[in-house]
Amino acid sequence: MKRFLLHVVTFTLTMTLLLSAITWVTDNGLRKSGFSWYKDWNGVNDGTINADVLIMGSSHARRGIHPMIVDSALHVNSYNLGMDGYMFDMQLARYQMYRKRNTAPKLIVLCVDYSELGTTKRLIDPEQLLPYLHDDDVRTDAVKIGMPAYLQYLPFLKYQNHPMLVWKAGCALTHAHTDRPNSYKGFYGEHLEWNTTTFQQFMKEHTYLAPELSDSVVQQFAQFLDSCNKEHIKVVLVFTPHYYLFNRAVRYRDSYMAFLSATAAQHHAKLLNYNTDSMCYNTHYFGNGTHLSPEGVTLFTQKLCASLRPDGHIIK
Amino acid sequence: MVLVFALYWSAANNRRVQNILLLAANYVFYAWWDWRFLALLITYGLVIYFIGHKIYEADKPNKKWWLRLALLFGIGTLSYFKYTNFFIGSFKDVVMKLGGHSSLHTLNIILPLGISFFTFQSLGYVLDINNGKIKPTTDLLSFMAFVSFFPTVLSGPIERADNLLVQLQHKRVFSNEQAKDGLRQILWGLFKKMVIADNLGHIVDAIYGAYGGSSSAALAAGILIFPFQLYADFSGYSDMATGIASLMGFKLVRNFAYPYFARSIPEYWRRWHMSLTSWITEYLYTPLSIALRDYGKAGMILAIFITYIIIGFWHGANWTYIVFGIVFSIYFSIFLMKKKRKKKKAPENDLSLKNIGLMVQTFLLVAFADLFFRAASVKDAFGYLHDLITAKTTGNGLAAYADISLLLIPVLLVIEWLGRYKTHPLVMTNQPRLPVRWAIYVVLLLFIFFCAGEQQKFIYLQF
């Protein structure tokens, strides 16, 4: 029995060591990789972004505001830190990681939408977070949202079922293959085209649309605005354009907008609401009810820059 | 599992304490899956234990009555939980087809996990007592542990009293070799289930789930892939069950012997789900064929049909399983008719062209029967066949479903071929050096760790 147990324990330890080594190599490889989300995360982690204008938010930011247009219109260095599907809490964790390693931005454009201040238990593309769980803010928030808590104590298990990530990490370390980045300064361009049938189907399936608010996230949001004030970082809250029929179906939207206005005023932030903009009535500018088409992205980013331009102090 | 193992072997000198621990582990395990039917499992054990004694003590005429009561209890319970809604639904369909109307409604019955397995295991015990093969045990604790034995209670192998119950009544001695072999078998079972079955399962689900939108090539692939998923899933479970039992010092009956290397349908059934085949052969097919022997070949064929329809129906309350059984009865009947023309067979396990041809032929026949096993309904199965035969070129081609996990099929076949003389391919008969052994374990574990498919339920868990 003793011999058997000794064999089992020795083998388990060997296996743990091997997996830990693979994890270490994968972490380091992905932190050098240009594959998918990692290029942007690596900029955050390496402290190589140092943007003047930081665009934050969910997919409405990541797929809605083009840094190339912002850069040329405002003559600044902007970067899009939008995160598909994530709400403010995870966006904040990423921002805090950014701030630890990058210089403070002069302006933050924070896209708020109906679910920005809500909370979720659903991790979107959790693979993007795996190499950065060494960061306390990211790890804490990831676990809060749904990342298995045991990964905090058994990190060698984190790449389970991700052979592709191990492969990509290996490629990055050995320079065997370089992935072409799929984003431009964090902006993810997508050729979305409006489809009335899909939109109607979506509206049929989503009969109850209402803004989401979580007390803890609202509190984090207020603290974030205060800390930006302290650091003299200007914050502009932007409500990105949504198609008017979608807006119309959202209940309590007026009270939500009032809440946002009041919060912005209380914390000396500017609120730009594009939900009453003329472009909200034209399907040409939308890929679906809440996301813009390429034409919509261009027009909206130009309009946004025009509104930001009077804030002359951000212009170099 | 680690806790059970530690407690179990710390009481190695006291068989009774070991059995108490085992029984507690059995019940905790069963309740973990579904606590609602724990009382049923306990009642089942107690009733069969009691009837077993009554059969043994009774005189000949009463013996029969007690046996009938046991069969009524066992098959009645199984029928109620598993087949009530099937019979109600089928009755309603017939009435409606005849233009009538039935106000009968299906009942809200939940199927207790493993009921088909522990029913057969328990009935085997009373049948053995009735046949004078064994004496009823007076050790209630061992018997209850036998009925609910946690490695096998959900999906077999279906154990016999003269194997497992006897072991439960004797002292178990820890064997280093047996425990290590148990771990190897668990590892091989995990690999088959998590890497092969779960990865292939998604391809099969995609093809069967949208067969109307798939080309004939994709449908043909679906038919050929499913048997591998089924085998890896079910034999994977059996390997894990057998391996866990080995860790506890038990030797279970073998359930699979590389069925896809069979060269005929009868040989396939001697290699596939062997514990069910031997149970059915001993308690159903043999008595039936003796009863019908006066009718010559027709009697034999009738016995085959009844046996295979029952095998099919045992799997589930759906016409698909009955058709599955009928297809195999046809195969068997044809085999029986052709049996007289004895041809010289190539030696078993020989990779001659003739053997390969026979293996492929047997596999294709099995794959065809498995189409009915996998389809959601008989209508779907025939719809699938129709689309396949009409050589549909439209719809998703094979490329839409194929992925790298298909390579696992040849990998499985090669590994199993190399290990075909052993009970499982990881048996280390010639004891390779430690680094070689560990390298094999590490490679398999890395595959399990990195390449496991999205978890799917064990297919046989539903039976």
Side-chain angles (χ1 to χ4, degrees):
Chain A
M1 172 73 103
K2 271 184 193 163
R3 216 172 132 227
F4 173 74
L5 290 177
L6 188 71
H7 271 122
V8 170
V9 171
T10 315
F11 183 78
T12 309
L13 283 175
T14 311
M15 200 63 209
T16 309
L17 276 173
L18 179 67
L19 284 177
S20 301
I22 293 173
T23 304
W24 185 83
V25 170
T26 310
D27 274 345
N28 284 290
L30 291 179
R31 286 179 204 155
K32 288 183 173 61
S33 169
F35 174 59
S36 196
W37 324 270
Y38 300 116
K39 180 178 154 270
D40 302 320
W41 274 100
N42 288 337
V44 173
N45 190 46
D46 300 341
T48 52
I49 294 178
N50 300 312
D52 303 316
V53 177
L54 209 54
I55 299 150
M56 286 173 60
S58 61
S59 56
H60 299 115
R62 186 170 191 238
R63 293 157 190 257
I65 301 176
H66 203 316
M68 193 188 279
I69 300 171
V70 177
D71 289 358
S72 66
L74 300 180
H75 307 291
V76 292
N77 170 27
S78 68
Y79 204 94
N80 194 324
L81 276 192
M83 295 179 79
D84 284 350
Y86 281 102
M87 296 172 185
F88 182 73
D89 45 3
M90 181 49 91
Q91 295 163 21
L92 179 64
R94 196 188 198 192
Y95 171 73
Q96 282 163 340
M97 184 181 174
Y98 174 91
R99 279 294 291 114
K100 282 178 217 163
R101 297 161 170 88
N102 291 268
T103 53
K106 291 173 182 145
L107 172 72
I108 291 175
V109 174
L110 174 56
C111 295
V112 284
D113 59 58
Y114 294 117
S115 57
E116 178 69 8
L117 300 177
T119 186
T120 180
K121 279 279 173 200
R122 195 163 70 96
L123 279 166
I124 313 285
D125 303 326
E127 303 91 322
Q128 65 178 300
L129 307 173
L130 296 178
Y132 314 103
L133 294 180
H134 62 288
D135 184 273
D136 292 342
D137 292 311
V138 173
R139 189 181 59 246
T140 309
D141 218 78
V143 169
K144 209 165 70 188
I145 292 175
M147 183 80 76
Y150 64 79
L151 290 184
Q152 295 180 97
Y153 315 106
L154 305 168
F156 60 90
L157 297 178
K158 67 182 175 182
Y159 290 109
Q160 190 176 5
N161 282 339
H162 292 302
M164 185 53 80
L165 296 187
V166 179
W167 172 254
K168 289 288 177 190
C171 288
L173 283 176
T174 56
H175 306 287
H177 170 74
T178 312
D179 286 292
R180 274 181 61 191
N182 62 356
S183 61
Y184 174 81
K185 294 178 99 175
F187 168 78
Y188 182 79
E190 195 183 23
H191 193 80
L192 278 176
E193 255 181 74
W194 179 263
N195 183 318
T196 303
T197 317
T198 313
F199 176 71
Q200 284 170 343
Q201 188 63 29
F202 175 87
M203 296 306 283
K204 231 183 241 176
E205 286 166 10
H206 297 77
T207 48
Y208 189 87
L209 294 164
E212 294 171 39
L213 279 176
S214 148
D215 289 343
S216 61
V217 178
V218 168
Q219 200 180 344
Q220 277 183 318
F221 182 60
Q223 284 167 355
F224 164 74
L225 293 176
D226 284 341
S227 71
C228 288
N229 280 333
K230 272 184 203 154
E231 288 190 272
H232 306 292
I233 301 169
K234 196 170 171 64
V235 178
V236 177
L237 305 179
V238 177
F239 207 105
T240 56
H242 289 45
Y243 185 54
Y244 82 103
L245 284 178
F246 179 90
N247 272 327
R248 198 181 276 177
V250 177
R251 300 172 198 204
Y252 315 117
R253 68 176 191 280
D254 292 337
S255 53
Y256 181 66
M257 292 311 297
F259 164 78
L260 281 181
S261 298
T263 310
Q266 191 186 341
H267 298 280
H268 315 295
K270 194 170 174 179
L271 175 66
L272 299 174
N273 181 6
Y274 287 89
N275 259 337
T276 49
D277 193 276
S278 59
M279 68 185 290
C280 296
Y281 297 88
N282 191 342
T283 53
H284 178 64
Y285 297 120
F286 288 92
N288 57 41
T290 59
H291 293 91
L292 298 168
S293 64
E295 295 78 13
V297 170
T298 307
L299 181 63
F300 167 60
T301 313
Q302 284 166 350
K303 286 189 177 202
L304 177 66
C305 290
S307 304
L308 293 175
R309 204 171 285 124
D311 297 313
H313 69 280
I314 61 162
I315 301 166
K316 277 179 184 168
Chain B
M1 183 62 213
V2 175
L3 182 71
V4 172
F5 179 82
L7 289 173
Y8 179 84
W9 284 114
S10 63
N13 291 327
N14 193 328
R15 182 182 63 84
R16 203 174 159 71
V17 175
Q18 269 191 326
N19 282 356
I20 291 171
L21 280 166
L22 190 60
L23 186 63
N26 292 347
Y27 289 155
V28 169
F29 177 78
Y30 193 79
W32 194 283
W33 283 90
D34 199 333
W35 58 270
R36 291 168 298 183
F37 295 111
L38 185 57
L40 175 78
L41 184 65
I42 296 170
T43 311
Y44 213 96
L46 291 172
V47 171
I48 293 294
Y49 177 81
F50 173 75
I51 297 179
H53 278 277
K54 285 293 173 192
I55 290 174
Y56 185 70
E57 288 156 9
D59 49 15
K60 215 172 178 183
N62 283 332
K63 209 184 253 288
K64 269 192 177 172
W65 282 108
W66 281 111
L67 178 67
R68 281 174 191 157
L69 182 66
L71 293 174
L72 186 72
F73 172 71
I75 296 168
T77 313
L78 181 66
S79 303
Y80 170 74
F81 283 107
K82 200 163 174 173
Y83 302 113
T84 306
N85 282 334
F86 171 76
F87 286 123
I88 293 174
S90 301
F91 176 74
K92 277 175 77 172
D93 286 347
V94 171
V95 171
M96 277 171 73
K97 285 217 169 113
L98 294 173
H101 173 74
S102 165
S103 57
L104 271 174
H105 292 289
T106 50
L107 307 175
N108 187 17
I109 300 171
I110 300 163
L111 184 68
L113 279 169
I115 189 166
S116 306
F117 291 92
F118 65 72
T119 299
F120 270 36
Q121 190 155 309
S122 315
L123 292 182
Y125 169 76
V126 285
L127 286 164
D128 280 350
I129 294 172
N130 184 62
N131 296 340
K133 201 173 154 190
I134 56 166
K135 284 181 182 175
T137 178
T138 49
D139 183 352
L140 178 63
L141 180 64
S142 297
F143 181 76
M144 296 300 273
F146 163 72
V147 173
S148 59
F149 190 57
F150 80 89
T152 63
V153 71
L154 298 181
S155 286
I158 300 164
E159 273 298 331
R160 301 296 190 70
D162 59 4
N163 181 44
L164 183 59
L165 186 56
V166 170
Q167 292 180 63
L168 279 159
Q169 288 170 322
H170 286 86
K171 185 177 159 67
R172 272 83 69 186
V173 181
F174 183 83
S175 150
N176 198 31
E177 277 317 305
Q178 188 185 11
K180 281 205 276 192
D181 188 60
L183 281 182
R184 287 186 204 115
Q185 197 160 3
I186 293 170
L187 179 62
W188 181 238
L190 280 171
F191 177 78
K192 279 197 282 187
K193 167 63 184 154
M194 294 174 72
V195 180
I196 300 177
D198 287 352
N199 277 308
L200 295 182
H202 292 287
I203 301 175
V204 172
D205 287 352
I207 297 175
Y208 274 79
Y211 69 85
S214 304
S215 68
S216 290
L219 296 178
I223 291 183
L224 297 178
I225 298 167
F226 175 64
F228 288 104
Q229 182 208 350
L230 182 65
Y231 169 64
D233 187 284
F234 189 25
S235 72
Y237 182 93
S238 288
D239 280 335
M240 284 186 258
T242 310
I244 291 169
S246 291
L247 283 176
M248 320 287 278
F250 295 98
K251 191 162 169 45
L252 298 187
V253 292
R254 196 175 177 189
N255 218 15
F256 291 91
Y258 313 111
Y260 295 144
F261 300 144
R263 296 165 303 159
S264 66
I265 291 295
E267 189 187 342
Y268 167 78
W269 277 101
R270 285 196 299 274
R271 289 167 174 264
W272 174 271
H273 203 174
M274 294 150 81
S275 62
L276 175 71
T277 310
S278 75
W279 197 102
I280 289 278
T281 306
E282 184 170 346
Y283 302 120
L284 182 68
Y285 176 70
T286 307
L288 257 178
S289 50
I290 290 169
L292 296 169
R293 67 186 157 191
D294 293 344
Y295 301 96
K297 234 171 201 177
M300 293 289 283
I301 290 171
L302 183 62
I304 287 169
F305 264 79
I306 294 171
T307 304
Y308 275 92
I309 287 171
I310 287 176
I311 286 184
F313 205 43
W314 173 86
H315 282 90
N318 193 329
W319 285 101
T320 51
Y321 297 114
I322 295 176
V323 177
F324 165 79
I326 291 172
V327 171
F328 271 110
S329 356
I330 293 169
Y331 290 164
F332 254 99
S333 306
I334 294 169
F335 180 82
L336 198 71
M337 312 262 242
K338 286 172 71 180
K339 208 178 170 184
K340 272 194 175 172
R341 284 185 279 136
K342 269 196 175 173
K343 287 178 190 169
K344 201 182 169 190
K345 269 191 173 181
E348 201 179 347
N349 294 325
D350 172 22
L351 210 53
S352 67
L353 249 148
K354 190 179 175 188
N355 268 354
I356 293 172
L358 289 170
M359 283 177 204
V360 171
Q361 176 191 297
T362 308
F363 174 77
L364 291 176
L365 291 171
V366 170
F368 175 75
D370 282 353
L371 163 68
F372 294 94
F373 190 100
R374 174 61 182 75
S377 66
V378 176
K379 197 180 158 197
D380 272 355
F382 282 110
Y384 193 107
L385 272 178
H386 172 267
D387 285 359
L388 173 74
I389 294 164
T390 50
K392 215 158 54 112
T393 49
T394 53
N396 290 332
L398 186 55
Y401 303 106
D403 65 34
I404 198 163
S405 54
L406 286 178
L407 288 176
L408 292 166
I409 295 174
V411 169
L412 174 74
L413 287 174
V414 169
I415 294 175
E416 295 226 319
W417 181 259
L418 294 174
R420 65 193 182 280
Y421 297 109
K422 306 169 191 169
T423 48
H424 63 89
L426 292 191
V427 171
M428 303 282 175
T429 38
N430 51 355
Q431 280 294 322
R433 293 168 69 87
L434 187 89
V436 178
R437 291 204 305 269
W438 279 31
I440 295 170
Y441 308 151
V442 166
V443 168
L444 288 175
L445 277 170
L446 288 180
F447 263 98
I448 292 168
F449 187 80
F450 286 113
C451 305
E454 200 179 313
Q455 204 179 344
Q456 294 203 329
K457 266 192 174 175
F458 285 104
I459 295 171
Y460 267 70
L461 216 58
Q462 61 186 307
F463 307 139

